[in-house]
Amino acid sequence: MHKYVHITVAILVAAIGHAPCAAIIRSNKWSTPRQQDIPSFRKNETSIEQAFIKCVARSKPEGSSDVKTYAEKNQLPDDFNLTQKDRVVLTRDPTAPRPYLWNVRWPETERKIELRAIKYKVGQIWSPDGHVETVTALKVLPCTICEFMDFGYALVAYGKPSWEKRWNLRSELGKLIKNCNNFAYMKPVKLQPPQDYVLGQILDVSAFAGCTHVKVTGITKGKGFAGVIKRHGFARGPMSHGSKHHRKPGSIGASTTPGCVKPGKRMPGRMGNKRCTFRKLRVLGNNPETSLMYVKALVAGANGSYVSVTSDMQTITPENILQ
């Protein structure tokens, strides 16, 4: 009953408008990493007012020199009596302004652009320091913005002309006709911030000007049904001396205990044909005339397959160029 009386009094204090608000918590159930914010009751502190003034001194606003005067304006009522086993915790006013939130970079405000491309060719070049580097040429397709979506996404149309497609959905044809384009495929991509783009705008490889690194997502080559040696890199058994265990997976679990096959057991199965992402690929150059982008790495998929290229829109600095 004594605990509920303290909680009721704390709620009444907050409702009356005494600021800062005081919350009452029993000392034997209190645990916090910031023990310096809790007023302590020592022998030289004979009343709750001294501990209250001590706690207000830590939370007083800037420009208030007299701590005692500030505490008297926000002191507790006379009928608010506490024992030395209780603690008074001062909380921040929820309506107080928080200027530090203006410097927070929200995910939707970061500059990011994602376009569709075709894996054109893989080759090698000589770097200025005399090393051979693997380069992948990506042909960035011109994309037309058809619709703006939530969370920084936009629906774009790309690919071959729509009349070369075998069949089209009426919903897709309506969006294509509305924006006066005749591309065959549509896909939601990242375009942030959305206020930098307009409906019907055509984006090409020139949109990646100033990008030093990109993220490429594609579908890996399908290998079909593969065994554990090809799929997971298992070692084969002996091929001679009467052994009959050559390329088999071996035991997959005990019989009685646990009596089942554990989830995630590496076994034969379909290999490849999965979504794969390569991050932080360095951009070596762009060619607006041929819509080609050259990245320093290998990307997933066969030549001629579709991939998604996402930029990080880093500013060009000497540190980024040397990475």
Side-chain angles (χ1 to χ4, degrees):
M1 185 64 183
H2 185 66
K3 179 176 66 174
Y4 296 105
V5 171
H6 286 298
I7 296 175
T8 306
V9 173
I11 296 174
L12 291 176
V13 171
I16 292 172
H18 292 278
C21 177
I24 310 305
I25 303 176
R26 300 296 296 180
S27 60
N28 55 357
K29 295 183 179 180
W30 173 257
S31 61
T32 177
R34 299 190 60 185
Q35 296 292 339
Q36 67 272 15
D37 293 341
I38 306 173
S40 59
F41 292 85
R42 299 186 178 89
K43 294 182 180 180
N44 56 352
E45 297 176 355
T46 57
S47 62
I48 183 66
E49 287 77 9
Q50 295 183 9
F52 181 73
I53 293 175
K54 184 178 179 181
C55 190
V56 168
R58 300 191 184 98
S59 60
K60 70 183 183 67
E62 297 181 0
S64 179
S65 58
D66 192 357
V67 178
K68 189 173 181 180
T69 304
Y70 177 75
E72 290 177 355
K73 295 180 181 179
N74 302 277
Q75 62 184 354
L76 298 175
D78 298 335
D79 55 347
F80 196 76
N81 298 323
L82 300 175
T83 61
Q84 292 189 0
K85 293 183 180 180
D86 296 327
R87 297 291 185 267
V88 179
V89 182
L90 299 178
T91 59
R92 184 186 57 81
D93 186 7
T95 61
R98 291 182 286 178
Y100 60 88
L101 292 180
W102 291 102
N103 299 326
V104 176
R105 294 187 62 186
W106 304 105
E108 290 79 6
T109 60
E110 296 180 356
R111 295 192 62 193
K112 185 179 295 185
I113 181 172
E114 177 185 356
L115 295 180
R116 299 290 287 174
I118 293 178
K119 185 178 178 181
Y120 185 69
K121 189 183 295 185
V122 179
Q124 294 178 342
I125 62 171
W126 288 92
S127 62
D129 55 357
H131 292 83
V132 178
E133 296 180 352
T134 303
V135 177
T136 302
L138 303 176
K139 189 170 185 179
V140 181
L141 303 175
C143 301
T144 305
I145 302 176
C146 297
E147 181 183 352
F148 287 100
M149 308 171 71
D150 296 334
F151 305 105
Y153 282 91
L155 189 66
V156 298
Y158 66 96
K160 59 185 180 181
S162 58
W163 58 76
E164 295 184 7
K165 196 175 179 181
R166 193 165 188 177
W167 52 272
N168 295 276
L169 295 176
R170 285 184 175 270
S171 59
E172 294 182 357
L173 287 176
K175 295 177 181 178
L176 293 174
I177 296 173
K178 184 178 180 181
N179 296 279
C180 300
N181 57 63
N182 58 352
F183 294 114
Y185 305 109
M186 304 183 72
K187 182 179 176 62
V189 297
K190 277 279 189 180
L191 290 179
Q192 295 178 182
Q195 58 267 19
D196 292 351
Y197 307 94
V198 295
L199 198 64
Q201 182 179 353
I202 299 177
L203 303 174
D204 54 1
V205 70
S206 60
F208 291 98
C211 296
T212 58
H213 295 77
V214 294
K215 178 181 69 174
V216 181
T217 303
I219 305 298
T220 59
K221 294 180 180 179
K223 306 295 183 179
F225 195 95
V228 291
I229 295 179
K230 182 178 181 180
R231 192 183 185 196
H232 301 294
F234 282 18
R236 63 172 177 83
M239 301 299 292
S240 61
H241 299 285
S243 174
K244 298 181 180 180
H245 182 82
H246 304 309
R247 301 179 66 91
K248 296 180 181 179
S251 176
I252 59 174
S255 59
T256 304
T257 304
C260 64
V261 179
K262 294 293 184 180
K265 186 68 176 178
R266 294 183 295 177
M267 299 177 68
R270 183 173 296 180
M271 182 180 177
N273 195 24
K274 292 185 178 180
R275 184 184 177 92
C276 185
T277 301
F278 293 84
R279 304 177 185 274
K280 295 184 179 180
L281 303 184
R282 183 181 174 186
V283 178
L284 300 179
N286 298 327
N287 190 349
E289 296 181 358
T290 58
S291 298
L292 290 179
M293 173 187 289
Y294 301 94
V295 296
K296 178 188 172 182
L298 293 173
V299 299
N303 291 341
S305 60
Y306 286 102
V307 296
S308 295
V309 183
T310 307
S311 67
D312 53 4
M313 302 303 288
Q314 294 181 355
T315 56
I316 300 178
T317 59
E319 292 77 8
N320 294 337
I321 295 175
L322 296 177
Q323 288 181 358

